[in-house]
Amino acid sequence: MKLIVDNIIYSIQKWGGISNYWSELRKGLLNNSDIDVSELELINKIISNNFKKDENFNTIKNSRLLVKAIERYQNPFPEINQPHLFHSSYYRYSKNPKSINITTAHDFSYELHFSGIKKYVHVTQKKKALNNSDVIICISNFTRDLMLNLYPELSDKRIEVIYNGVNSNELLGNSKTSHPNLFSFENGEYALYIGDRKAQYKNFKLTCKAIEISKVPLIIVGGGALTPDEFAMLENVKYQHVIFATDQELSFLYANALLLIYPSISEGFGIPLIEAQTLGCPIISTNNSCIPEIAGEGALLVNKVDEFALSDSINEISKSTQTRDELIRLGYQNAPRFSWNEMRRNTIELYKDIGNGN
């Protein structure tokens, strides 16, 4: 069975959940003798993606690339003259008539939370890819249900839910490595905020307000350099920004945090939830989108997303050993539901099933 994987995501982001997902999937394909894998490599290739590893796959040419600057939006025509599967890392589909197209739907944040030309471009590309796909993978039941609500015409497609995961053994091993100079706060006293701060639905501004009320130190990881507006939000907060953390450092931060604050109201899966639970880090999040499905009972979820509900939850975890211990226990029970090994196994089984004409 021939499979072409399209690595366009590596030219779009330097890090992020989709890059993580794609790299974990590629690991499972590397030594699988049942699948003949080739990769569609890119002209406008960013080699500094933190998840991209050079693997020993064949590389194929794309005969119909037009404009380098908009390569990410162009749907390729791979030079292969035999039936094959085509799986893109980010909302492209093959125009080769011999392709069976597979698309992974990660989330629908642009449809729900953006406007203007940025929304139009992203939504148009995604909708075309989904409509031209033979099979759609959704990373949660919530994502599938939201997709069908937004695009009911896709109900005739084959849709499979395959969860994201974590590498639990790797996380646990990394967390045991000491990084005494990584942060200036005491173990167990700081709240942890990870990732994107710019999208309003991530609620970083509310996080700052809640932290200011609760007076708990905050460690911010990733998300690029702080902006002047963000410095203003943090004016009365005791904080530290770790602009980039290695896997070992991030595991250490989880394992030694008072809590993870994850106040997003729109997620497709939410990998930090499972990373935190694996490492015994209590979670404060929202009762929105996929979060109840993924976090289970191992998180303190707020129904009203404002600074007061978040600060009350921070205070509950910081002052009640019983609450904290119970969240950790329930998190440990929930986290094993999700693993990258399971994601890889389910996806490869799907490839085989499609390749056999099912």
Side-chain angles (χ1 to χ4, degrees), residues 115-294:
S115 60
I117 188 65
K118 191 171 185 179
K119 174 180 179 177
Y120 173 79
V121 169
H122 281 81
V123 170
T124 299
Q125 180 187 16
K126 184 186 300 182
K127 190 174 181 180
K128 284 183 177 180
L130 294 171
N131 280 322
N132 284 279
S133 291
D134 300 282
V135 179
I136 300 171
I137 298 170
C138 293
I139 61 173
S140 65
N141 289 302
F142 171 83
T143 299
R144 176 200 59 202
D145 295 345
L146 178 57
M147 178 183 71
L148 292 176
N149 183 54
L150 292 169
Y151 306 120
E153 67 273 17
L154 298 176
S155 59
D156 292 337
K157 303 280 187 183
R158 178 174 179 178
I159 302 170
E160 301 287 341
V161 174
I162 300 178
Y163 285 125
N164 286 344
V166 298
N167 293 318
S168 56
N169 290 335
E170 186 176 317
L171 286 169
L172 290 165
N174 288 339
S175 69
K176 295 181 173 68
T177 303
S178 178
H179 300 274
N181 300 318
L182 184 59
F183 56 85
S184 56
F185 306 127
E186 294 295 325
N187 290 357
E189 78 164 355
Y190 60 88
L192 190 62
Y193 181 98
I194 294 175
D196 180 30
R197 304 183 305 273
K198 295 177 177 59
Q200 286 191 353
Y201 66 85
K202 295 286 188 177
N203 283 317
F204 179 68
K205 187 174 183 178
L206 282 183
T207 296
C208 296
K209 290 180 178 179
I211 291 293
E212 183 176 346
I213 294 169
S214 63
K215 302 188 186 307
V216 169
L218 177 67
I219 292 183
I220 305 159
V221 179
L226 293 168
T227 66
D229 284 346
E230 289 170 338
F231 280 120
M233 295 175 198
L234 293 162
E235 185 176 2
N236 297 313
V237 172
K238 187 178 180 182
Y239 75 94
Q240 180 178 344
H241 183 208
V242 179
I243 196 165
F244 174 76
T246 65
D247 291 343
Q248 292 80 10
E249 290 169 340
L250 185 57
S251 296
F252 183 76
L253 287 169
Y254 276 124
N256 291 282
L258 171 68
L259 57 91
L260 171 71
I261 185 162
Y262 196 79
S264 175
I265 59 169
S266 185
E267 295 293 324
F269 182 85
I271 290 174
L273 298 169
I274 307 306
E275 292 176 334
Q277 289 181 336
T278 299
L279 293 168
C281 177
I283 297 165
I284 294 171
S285 192
T286 67
N287 196 19
N288 282 281
S289 67
C290 70
I291 292 170
E293 176 186 352
I294 303 304

Side-chain angles (χ1 to χ4, degrees), residues 1-5 35 83-87 98-102 350-352 354-355:
M1 176 178 48
K2 184 69 179 175
L3 168 68
I4 300 172
V5 292
I35 302 177
H84 59 276
L85 309 181
F86 182 91
H87 192 178
K98 294 186 178 294
S99 295
I100 300 172
N101 281 290
I102 304 167
L350 177 61
Y351 289 152
K352 293 177 180 178
I354 299 168

Side-chain angles (χ1 to χ4, degrees), residues 71-98:
E71 181 181 13
R72 63 177 286 184
Y73 304 112
Q74 296 173 302
N75 296 304
F77 191 104
E79 293 181 343
I80 179 171
N81 192 29
Q82 68 183 83
H84 59 276
L85 309 181
F86 182 91
H87 192 178
S88 177
S89 57
Y90 194 77
Y91 302 116
R92 302 204 303 178
Y93 64 92
S94 168
K95 291 187 173 183
N96 188 325
K98 294 186 178 294

